[in-house]
Amino acid sequence: MAGPRVHLVITADDFGYCPRRDEGIVEAFLVGAVTSVSLLVNGAATESAAELARRHSIPTGLHANLSEGRPVGPARHGASSLLGPEGFFLGKMGFRKALAAGDVALAQVQGAGGAGAAGGVVRPREPADGGDLPGVPRDGSLADAPGITVLPVQVREELEAQLSRFRELLGRDPTHVDGHQHVHVLPGVCQVFAEVLQAFGVRFTRLPLERGVGGCAWLEAPALSFACAVERDARAAMGPFTRHGLRWADAFVGLSTCGRHMSAHRVAGALARALENVPAGRAMTVELMAHPGYPSVPPAGGCGEGPDAFSCSWERLHELRVLTAPTLRARLAQDGVQLCALDDLDSKRLGEGPPSESTLETSLDTLLP
């Protein structure tokens, strides 16, 4: 009997953000509707979430956060280009704008003569597509730029601190590390991110590259623009990720099914797009990003500033209901989809070497429009 065509990991993001969010996530996990979670180690409910993960043996990764709330690393003790005047991260779009404007000390850059460049801050030209660094490849591989030595500082320190905090909370390494609001695939950041994960021995990450997301007409203009920008960044991040031995699911869905846009029909449609042009006999691994939970009630929740509107909205409950309803699970079973955890993918791929960049390009030609 043939095995399932798709092994699907359903990851609930923002674990530790709020007790009510966590309650819904655990509920979804216990009924088999969620198979993995990503923990915010600077969340208001981080410690109780870690206890829930241990109690229920939930496969747990790190939701690396550079955009919301307070840092956990050295930056919390002093001034940092990662933070605003009140000591909080710069926000989902604020971090991106600061990075594009060159206001984030992503790395200290020195020329061959040893003189600092731009005061230790990488100054990119004004980008049209999310941000290129001058004289640096679009994939953000700062270490490959000619004539400069890159010494990552604040971003590296914060990522290392969050990984160490995860170990303190869970007593083990994360099953994977992805990025809150997809900061891990931003130009420049993706290189530092990949280096840190390799140093910590983390093998799995998320590549938020969803096939056909640009044609999802139901997305409002801001959401569609953001999804397309994330897709471009993810495509460029493949180089640094693979050079540092990181792995990810064969396909990703979730940008087109977030919040109010989630339904059994749209999840199935996103999976169908991911499988277009894939030979019928090939088994695929896919990650579905989700944000289920009961809505936050201020002031509880958040990462130091209270919960945001996204967490307080009915859309969290909507995702929880879609994921746990029999309709979606019946549709997935009908389509030959088997739910699994990232640990299952890890054991499935043991012994394989990281894919070469030429292999990645071939995969893109096959899987993407």
Side-chain angles (χ1 to χ4, degrees), residues 119-317:
V121 178
V122 177
R123 296 280 180 187
R125 64 178 176 270
E126 198 64 32
D129 65 348
D132 288 354
L133 302 178
V136 179
R138 178 62 180 84
D139 66 3
S141 306
L142 299 178
D144 295 337
I148 63 174
T149 301
V150 178
L151 307 172
V153 280
Q154 294 171 356
V155 169
R156 177 184 296 275
E157 289 174 345
E158 181 59 28
L159 291 173
E160 290 175 344
Q162 292 187 21
L163 277 159
S164 296
R165 177 61 174 153
F166 184 98
R167 285 175 171 175
E168 292 173 5
L169 289 163
L170 275 297
R172 59 170 175 79
D173 290 330
T175 58
H176 65 281
V177 182
D178 53 39
H180 185 48
Q181 298 167 341
H182 309 293
V183 295
H184 67 304
V185 295
L186 287 170
V189 173
C190 64
Q191 172 71 19
V192 181
F193 176 84
E195 291 172 358
V196 171
L197 265 59
Q198 184 181 47
F200 274 71
V202 177
R203 301 175 68 230
F204 271 91
T205 188
R206 169 186 293 168
L207 192 76
L209 188 59
E210 180 173 345
R211 180 172 186 169
V213 72
C216 297
W218 58 86
L219 294 176
E220 299 86 353
L224 182 60
S225 176
F226 180 73
C228 290
V230 169
E231 188 269 346
R232 288 194 299 270
D233 290 337
R235 192 187 297 258
M238 293 179 75
F241 283 5
T242 192
R243 283 195 293 274
H244 290 279
L246 298 182
R247 300 179 180 186
W248 51 88
D250 295 322
F252 168 86
V253 297
L255 291 170
S256 66
T257 60
C258 186
R260 71 188 69 190
H261 302 301
M262 180 177 280
S263 67
H265 174 73
R266 283 181 176 154
V267 169
L271 288 172
R273 291 195 302 273
L275 292 172
E276 288 177 6
N277 302 323
V278 176
R282 179 183 171 188
M284 293 281 289
T285 60
V286 183
E287 181 184 16
L288 168 62
M289 174 187 70
H291 302 84
Y294 294 100
S296 301
V297 178
C303 299
E305 302 170 275
D308 61 12
F310 183 66
S311 187
C312 295
S313 76
W314 59 269
E315 296 183 61
R316 311 283 57 72
L317 181 59

